[in-house]
Amino acid sequence: MRPLLFGNGRLLICEDELGIIRDIYYPYVGLENHCNMIRAGIYDANLHVFSWLDGWGIQQRYKSSFEENFFETLEDLKTDDRENMEIGFCASNIGETIFENQSLGLRVRVLDAVHPSSNYFYRLFDVMNISPSSRDIGLFSNQNYNILENKIGETAFVDGDMLIHYKRDRYFLHSSYPQFDQYAVGVAEWKGMQGTWKDMEEDGMLSCNAVAHGSIDSTISWRISGIRPGESRRIHMWIVVGRGHRQVVDIHRKLKENGPANVYRISFNFWKAFIEHVDALPECRNLRELPEKVQDAFYRSLMATVAHMDVNGSIIASCDSEIKQFGADLYTYCWPRDASWACIALDRARYHHLSKEIIDFLSKIITVDGYFLHKYTPAGDFGSTWHPVPMIQLDETGLPLYALYHNWLMSKDVWIIGRYFSSLVRPAAEFLVGSIDRTTNLPAESFDLWEERRGSHAYTAAVVHAGLRGASEIARILGNEKFHSRWSQAAELIRHAALDLYDDSIMHFRRSPSDSTLDASVFSIWYFELLPANDPRVVNTMRAIERELTRPSGGVARYMHDTYHGYMNSWIICTLWLAQWHIAVGSLDRALELIKWCSDHTFSTGLMPEQVSDDNTFRSVLPLMWSHCTFVLAVLEYLRAVSDNQRKE
């Protein structure tokens, strides 16, 4: 799990549920994870005991309540006297982790943030003595990197107030205020050498070795003497990430000149302004009427979606690298399907500038033949795959077309649809027309959205229909009647064929002509407007999903007898699809129950998993970007329905 994320579109840093930094992605969000772990510890000089903070009691959250003068109380923070900060609740990207060890009588609060536009990560350690006697302690931070994703050929050295790790053109500069008073760099995880932290663990002292290379780590420490009962002391630490020595040193010097802890105020103001954009939507006037956890999850979902996005428009499925333990691969790829759903959600929230970046990325990775491959790295290269040639999922070509059309519906920006007509719309639509199986009028067989089985699936048919219908409307808007007619006719062929998948004997849509399994993804039949949401065939299908796929915890499984990461786990997206249908047919109370179920099954930081087991434990990755962008969609659709009802009254 990665319950805390801090990023800016180039740098993404993730912490696990123990407060250990596990992932440092740079220079792409999701590509080149340079971190093994960064963890902190305490040496009690009175008791001669060392303890890692990740073994203490822990509370993690994003700070969302701000007491008056919060920023001014941070040591050495220079603020603008004219600033009028709103006191009270405000979603932020400032992480707050509280470690407590009753036996040692210590509490450590850690505030974390990444600067919104400059590539550095900032930590503030607030160490409090909660024992009845004065204390002498040492605070330590151990850095263990995998620069360029391996331990070979790395160098670390100390230069004045800077500790720098580097390999090739990847540099990681560490500094602090007050300056660290001990340090060590040395061999780690090589020929029995565990790392420089062993010295610290044994006696609280470091060797002060100033340079090492190969498979290495580093440790820095600060002596904190004479902390009285109830007193706290602060240590400020930062990590600057860049492509060269001069670059990271220049950022470090500017950071010191401007007042290091200014990053908290800057981060707060940036994300506050980001949230105010969606707050201005007419339907969001009812947002404050929702349960507080739903409000929190809505804002967090917006920020979590964007956290997975690179400045080049790529958006990864999940930053949680722990998943590699299950299959030697990751979720840090850009699936055109997931990217398109993110695009739809961001457009629905009126962040059109962000959805445009995703569309631009998609226009650059589409093949010359007009289709998308399985998945891509954030740099735009073809990613790993378990699909045999031709490695195509047709829904992943249909959904980007629909996402672009949805952008038009939301923004009415003709420049966007005009700009991408030749590079994206025409080649993708023509490929999809050519992919229709003329014996069934369904899209040719390909892997389903779950990437588990080949066939002509209802979800794929609905999405390809929506993509072709959207493409035909774009052609009409741009005055190309030939393509409008060709693509709309193809969409209608698929629509009629897809409706034949309804099976009267089982009272729901089949997953495919040869597979009658009840699958939550057939929500796509009404969502992409092949039928109205209140059509009896849709009603029967959605009621069957609610009846047969709802789990004891209250969430909704993907399909009968699903075994991925456990038996019929609830999926956040499937639960929200059911909520969206209830919204569409006016069952707003039930819709809110399902939305609230999702917000109740988040980590304490508000981040959502892919799956929830029947015993309410999280399964697979946390966070999953698709969970978050679907939550944004569902809440906005719910708020719009509430607003529509109010107007009718």
Side-chain angles (χ1 to χ4, degrees):
M1 290 189 290
R2 299 295 182 262
L4 285 171
L5 320 176
F6 313 98
N8 62 13
R10 291 185 178 88
L11 172 66
L12 179 63
I13 294 181
C14 312
E15 296 179 22
D16 70 11
E17 68 275 20
L18 300 177
I20 300 172
I21 297 174
R22 291 290 188 179
D23 310 301
I24 299 180
Y25 297 103
Y26 175 85
Y28 296 98
V29 171
L31 183 62
E32 294 188 24
N33 186 355
H34 304 286
C35 191
N36 185 8
M37 68 172 71
I38 296 177
R39 60 200 300 221
I42 291 284
Y43 183 80
D44 189 314
N46 304 108
L47 300 176
H48 304 290
V49 171
F50 173 80
S51 179
W52 292 108
L53 296 188
D54 49 81
W56 295 16
I58 184 173
Q59 299 175 51
Q60 288 174 298
R61 64 171 184 163
Y62 285 99
K63 193 163 181 61
S64 59
S65 58
F66 293 85
E67 58 273 19
E68 190 172 0
N69 299 321
F70 169 77
F71 296 109
E72 288 84 345
T73 60
L74 297 180
E75 186 174 347
D76 285 350
L77 179 61
K78 300 174 184 177
T79 59
D80 188 338
D81 293 336
R82 297 169 297 174
E83 181 181 9
N84 182 22
M85 194 196 83
E86 179 182 343
I87 305 303
F89 171 84
C90 187
S92 81
N93 261 347
I94 299 171
E96 183 176 44
T97 304
I98 298 174
F99 301 96
E100 186 166 318
N101 188 318
Q102 288 288 339
S103 63
L104 290 180
L106 292 171
R107 180 185 300 130
V108 179
R109 182 176 70 146
V110 181
L111 295 178
D112 291 322
V114 161
H115 192 282
S117 58
S118 188
N119 294 326
Y120 69 87
F121 171 72
Y122 198 92
R123 310 199 87 173
L124 185 149
F125 295 95
D126 191 329
V127 183
M128 175 175 281
N129 179 6
I130 58 174
S131 76
S133 57
S134 293
R135 311 293 296 281
D136 296 319
I137 64 170
L139 172 68
F140 296 83
S141 177
N142 175 255
Q143 294 73 229
N144 190 324
Y145 286 98
N146 277 324
I147 300 180
L148 294 172
E149 304 197 351
N150 67 75
K151 295 288 293 178
I152 305 301
E154 183 182 328
T155 300
F157 64 92
V158 175
D159 180 7
D161 67 344
M162 301 176 294
L163 163 67
I164 297 177
H165 284 243
Y166 77 92
K167 184 194 298 183
R168 292 178 54 193
D169 59 348
R170 302 292 184 263
Y171 281 73
F172 302 83
L173 181 154
H174 312 73
S175 191
S176 67
Y177 174 80
Q179 183 176 335
F180 50 86
D181 49 35
Q182 289 191 73
Y183 56 84
V185 296
V187 176
E189 301 178 13
W190 187 258
K191 294 187 176 180
M193 301 294 286
Q194 293 176 279
T196 55
W197 56 269
K198 285 298 292 182
D199 289 340
M200 162 191 68
E201 188 179 54
E202 292 169 1
D203 58 9
M205 302 296 292
L206 295 174
S207 67
C208 291
N209 184 53
V211 63
H213 73 103
S215 178
I216 58 173
D217 76 341
S218 67
T219 306
I220 51 179
S221 74
W222 303 265
R223 183 169 180 80
I224 307 174
S225 301
I227 313 180
R228 298 185 299 274
E231 183 186 6
S232 65
R233 303 276 182 87
R234 289 175 175 163
I235 303 294
H236 299 248
M237 174 185 171
W238 52 93
I239 303 174
V240 182
V241 183
R243 290 179 175 270
H245 181 267
R246 180 179 292 276
Q247 182 185 42
V248 295
V249 171
D250 285 348
I251 294 173
H252 162 64
R253 288 172 177 166
K254 290 176 183 176
L255 188 157
K256 290 177 67 177
E257 291 171 4
N258 295 331
N262 270 332
V263 66
Y264 295 116
R265 176 176 57 86
I266 293 168
S267 174
F268 173 87
N269 286 340
F270 179 90
W271 292 105
K272 181 171 180 285
F274 175 82
I275 290 300
E276 286 172 348
H277 180 83
V278 74
D279 278 342
L281 295 182
E283 55 265 44
C284 283
R285 68 177 182 271
N286 294 305
L287 185 59
R288 295 292 182 264
E289 303 302 317
L290 295 179
E292 187 174 325
K293 285 202 71 172
V294 174
Q295 295 179 49
D296 293 350
F298 174 73
Y299 289 127
R300 183 56 48 202
S301 290
L302 270 173
M303 292 191 279
T305 298
V306 175
H308 285 80
M309 186 173 174
D310 193 273
V311 292
N312 71 357
S314 162
I315 186 162
I316 59 172
S318 178
C319 58
D320 183 357
S321 66
E322 190 174 357
I323 193 71
K324 68 185 176 185
Q325 298 176 8
F326 296 96
D329 209 345
L330 303 163
Y331 276 40
T332 53
Y333 295 96
C334 179
W335 275 261
R337 176 190 308 109
D338 301 45
S340 298
W341 278 115
C343 190
I344 293 165
L346 290 169
D347 271 323
R348 186 65 185 78
R350 307 303 197 277
Y351 291 94
H352 303 309
H353 62 293
L354 295 178
S355 61
K356 176 189 173 296
E357 292 177 8
I358 297 173
I359 292 166
D360 189 68
F361 181 79
L362 292 172
S363 74
K364 293 173 181 175
I365 62 174
I366 192 170
T367 65
V368 294
D369 293 320
Y371 60 86
F372 290 94
L373 293 165
H374 181 190
K375 56 182 176 171
Y376 295 82
T377 73
D381 310 302
F382 181 36
S384 62
T385 187
W386 53 90
H387 293 171
V389 174
M391 305 174 184
I392 301 170
Q393 295 173 277
L394 289 174
D395 73 290
E396 289 207 292
T397 299
L399 199 56
L401 283 180
Y402 176 78
L404 180 55
Y405 176 58
H406 183 263
N407 172 270
W408 160 256
L409 293 176
M410 294 290 104
S411 70
K412 298 300 181 182
D413 188 346
V414 72
W415 292 101
I416 301 301
I417 58 173
R419 180 175 301 169
Y420 296 107
F421 185 82
S422 296
S423 60
L424 179 57
V425 177
R426 184 168 61 194
E430 285 293 282
F431 175 79
L432 291 175
V433 169
S435 74
I436 297 173
D437 184 332
R438 296 303 172 179
T439 62
T440 65
N441 287 336
L442 290 170
E445 290 192 354
S446 68
F447 275 87
D448 65 352
L449 81 161
W450 307 128
E451 306 185 332
E452 295 175 336
R453 59 192 63 80
R454 285 182 60 86
S456 295
H457 299 100
Y459 175 87
T460 301
V463 168
V464 171
H465 160 268
L468 284 171
R469 182 169 56 86
S472 73
E473 284 301 299
I474 290 172
R476 182 187 61 78
I477 293 162
L478 297 177
N480 195 318
E481 290 300 324
K482 182 184 78 171
F483 283 129
H484 166 65
S485 176
R486 174 174 165 79
W487 298 339
S488 61
Q489 288 176 21
E492 197 61 18
L493 274 178
I494 293 171
R495 176 179 175 274
H496 285 294
L499 296 185
D500 287 339
L501 293 175
Y502 184 78
D503 190 329
D504 287 312
S505 67
I506 54 178
M507 300 287 285
H508 64 74
F509 278 93
R510 302 172 69 90
R511 181 157 63 189
S512 74
S514 60
D515 187 348
S516 63
T517 303
L518 181 62
D519 193 311
S521 68
V522 296
F523 91 105
S524 54
I525 295 291
W526 70 266
Y527 196 82
F528 293 110
E529 300 180 355
L530 281 73
L531 287 175
N534 60 1
D535 183 276
R537 291 164 289 184
V538 171
V539 172
N540 289 341
T541 298
M542 297 308 294
R543 284 178 176 168
I545 288 171
E546 187 158 20
R547 182 177 62 251
E548 303 295 333
L549 298 185
T550 297
R551 304 302 298 151
S553 67
V556 177
R558 291 193 298 177
Y559 53 83
M560 295 298 296
H561 309 303
D562 181 16
T563 59
Y564 182 55
H565 286 278
Y567 182 75
M568 286 187 72
N569 292 331
S570 299
W571 282 55
I572 297 291
I573 57 172
C574 298
T575 307
L576 291 168
W577 291 342
L578 181 60
Q580 288 170 293
W581 176 71
H582 278 290
I583 293 165
V585 297
S587 305
L588 297 187
D589 289 344
R590 176 58 178 148
L592 186 57
E593 287 177 7
L594 292 162
I595 290 171
K596 190 174 183 300
W597 182 90
C598 294
S599 66
D600 287 341
H601 288 80
T602 62
F603 201 85
S604 61
T605 60
L607 294 184
M608 294 182 178
E610 180 180 72
Q611 307 172 39
V612 180
S613 69
D614 287 348
D615 63 4
N616 289 314
T617 57
F618 301 147
R619 299 295 175 88
S620 188
V621 294
L622 184 151
L624 182 74
M625 188 280 298
W626 196 356
S627 296
H628 283 289
C629 71
T630 307
F631 191 84
V632 170
L633 266 178
V635 170
L636 289 174
E637 289 170 11
Y638 175 86
L639 292 173
R640 180 59 181 269
V642 170
S643 295
D644 289 346
N645 286 347
Q646 290 172 342
R647 281 195 296 272
K648 292 174 185 176
E649 295 171 359

